[in-house]
Amino acid sequence: MTDLTLLQPTATISVREMFGIDSDMRVPAFAQACEHVPRVDTAYRFNRQVTLAILAGFAHNRRVVIQGLHGTGKSTHIEQVAARLNWPCVRVNLDGHISRLDLVGKDVIALQDGKQVTQFQEGILPWSLQRPVAIVFDEYDAGRPDVMFVIQRVLEREGSFTLLDQKRVIQPHEYFRLFATMNTLGQGNLSGLYHGTQILNHAQLDRWNLVTTLDYLAPDEEAAIVLARVPAMDTPQGRPQIDAMVALANLTRKGFAVGDLSLLMSPRTVITWAENTQIFHDLKLAFELSFFNKCEPAERIIVAEYFQRCFAQELNAQADAAPPHVHVG
């Protein structure tokens, strides 16, 4: 494996040339990719504001957090920028099972010269701090309070990290970078959509230098991504189907925004639907298995109406969508 501590960025890239964004910004980059660099996804579409925020994070060591609904590609956006910079990148999902010990490290029993000894094993945070690594905290607003306070000190630009058990202070590597993604704005589960999210400490939110929002793509751009993921549908017959699928997804998003639906179709769901269409060779069955069956029974008739509006045909399961009648005896 590559010794990351020895790596240094030796090149600079033009944002205008690499990302097609009208900006004079130049960003340091590594000459070659290592095993920790994400793979380049040529189909990915970059949002201008979010891309500039991420690039500023890499170039000027700014702490960047991206907020947005699920499926908008927040974490992937950071990874794809890192991929084009050949910058090592590590994602950590801050679900309820990630503890302080997972981040900081813990004592483990190991064999040394045939004997069992206790030694300290670094967690992902001190490991990343000492290397030119971009660490991405996914689901940042779902992190446990004890975990969040571990991160808080590191959020400062030159924030050192103290390993109390080792009586050691770690100074961050010159090219260590820190990013996060979250579904809410740190105010908890106000919409009812993201159970398990926390109200974040304002002092911690204040330590993030750049905050940006990633929304869903324009319909033509989303359709282009779906076609890139499922090239078998890039045909005179398949392209109108993809356009209709994206239009249906946008209807569910509007229905969610006004409170008609409790579930929406993300771009990830549209891609899954297109992939399943290739498996079953049945557009309607693939839709039922990909999204319709996830909906609440009382809301399925609305979704079936969306389907009829976009495809000019009835959904097979529409008859089962209406809620059952209640007989009063």
Side-chain angles (χ1 to χ4, degrees):
M1 294 180 65
T2 306
D3 185 355
L4 294 179
T5 59
L6 301 178
L7 291 183
Q8 295 278 341
T10 56
T12 59
I13 62 118
S14 164
V15 171
R16 183 177 285 104
E17 294 175 6
M18 178 65 74
F19 298 94
I21 294 174
D22 187 17
S23 170
D24 295 328
M25 187 188 302
R26 298 188 67 85
V27 185
F30 293 82
Q32 293 182 329
C34 67
E35 61 270 19
H36 292 288
V37 174
R39 292 184 179 180
V40 172
D41 180 357
T42 56
Y44 193 79
R45 297 294 193 274
F46 290 95
N47 174 282
R48 182 181 185 278
Q49 183 189 95
V50 175
T51 303
L52 287 174
I54 295 170
L55 289 169
F58 280 111
H60 301 286
N61 195 16
R62 311 303 285 167
R63 306 308 194 213
V64 183
V65 62
I66 304 173
Q67 182 270 334
L69 294 173
H70 61 282
T72 52
K74 300 181 294 296
S75 305
T76 307
H77 210 306
I78 301 168
E79 286 187 325
Q80 286 307 306
V81 172
R84 284 154 177 81
L85 302 177
N86 286 330
W87 205 297
C89 184
V90 176
R91 284 173 61 173
V92 179
N93 193 309
L94 291 184
D95 57 43
H97 298 288
I98 293 291
S99 68
R100 184 182 182 279
L101 293 179
D102 293 321
L103 282 187
V104 176
K106 53 192 172 183
D107 288 329
V108 296
I109 297 175
L111 284 176
Q112 195 174 80
D113 298 328
K115 297 180 180 180
Q116 287 188 344
V117 295
T118 301
Q119 63 184 30
F120 182 77
Q121 184 180 69
E122 286 183 344
I124 189 64
L125 188 53
W127 180 88
S128 301
L129 266 170
Q130 300 170 82
R131 292 164 175 81
V133 167
I135 188 168
V136 182
F137 288 117
D138 276 338
E139 316 299 342
Y140 187 72
D141 49 352
R144 290 163 39 172
D146 59 326
V147 171
M148 305 307 284
F149 282 109
V150 171
I151 299 171
Q152 183 160 316
R153 179 69 180 94
V154 184
L155 280 172
E156 297 178 11
R157 184 172 182 177
E158 304 298 335
S160 58
F161 187 75
T162 304
L163 286 174
L164 295 177
D165 295 341
Q166 300 294 298
K167 299 180 178 61
R168 184 160 63 99
V169 177
I170 298 175
Q171 299 298 331
H173 190 282
E174 181 183 359
Y175 294 103
F176 167 76
R177 298 293 184 264
L178 184 57
F179 300 89
T181 69
M182 56 185 180
N183 296 126
T184 71
L185 287 167
Q187 303 302 313
N189 187 32
L190 297 178
S191 67
L193 184 63
Y194 299 110
H195 299 289
T197 54
Q198 313 286 339
I199 297 177
L200 296 181
N201 185 307
H202 181 72
Q204 183 161 139
L205 283 174
D206 194 51
R207 283 172 163 81
W208 290 96
N209 307 126
L210 299 171
V211 179
T212 185
T213 298
L214 186 60
D215 205 347
Y216 294 118
L217 294 167
D220 57 337
E221 293 184 351
E222 186 171 341
I225 288 179
V226 178
L227 288 171
R229 292 284 192 279
V230 191
M233 296 194 71
D234 194 2
T235 63
Q237 180 185 4
R239 285 190 288 272
Q241 284 187 334
I242 295 295
D243 289 339
M245 292 163 74
V246 172
L248 175 53
N250 279 317
L251 286 176
T252 67
R253 295 163 194 168
K254 292 176 181 176
F256 172 80
V258 299
D260 291 340
L261 297 180
S262 57
L263 194 65
L264 56 79
M265 290 182 69
S266 70
R268 186 187 300 120
T269 307
V270 180
I271 293 170
T272 300
W273 180 11
E275 291 171 339
N276 289 340
T277 299
Q278 294 303 297
I279 295 173
F280 298 108
H281 302 287
D282 186 328
L283 184 79
K284 290 191 280 189
L285 175 62
F287 176 67
E288 292 164 15
L289 294 173
S290 304
F291 179 74
F292 189 79
N293 292 344
K294 299 177 184 177
C295 299
E296 293 290 335
E299 297 175 357
R300 291 181 184 179
I301 194 167
I302 300 174
V303 177
E305 181 185 336
Y306 292 162
F307 187 93
Q308 197 279 334
R309 193 185 306 178
C310 294
F311 290 94
Q313 53 182 306
E314 299 290 335
L315 196 61
N316 293 337
Q318 188 169 7
D320 302 326
H325 295 287
V326 178
H327 299 280
V328 180

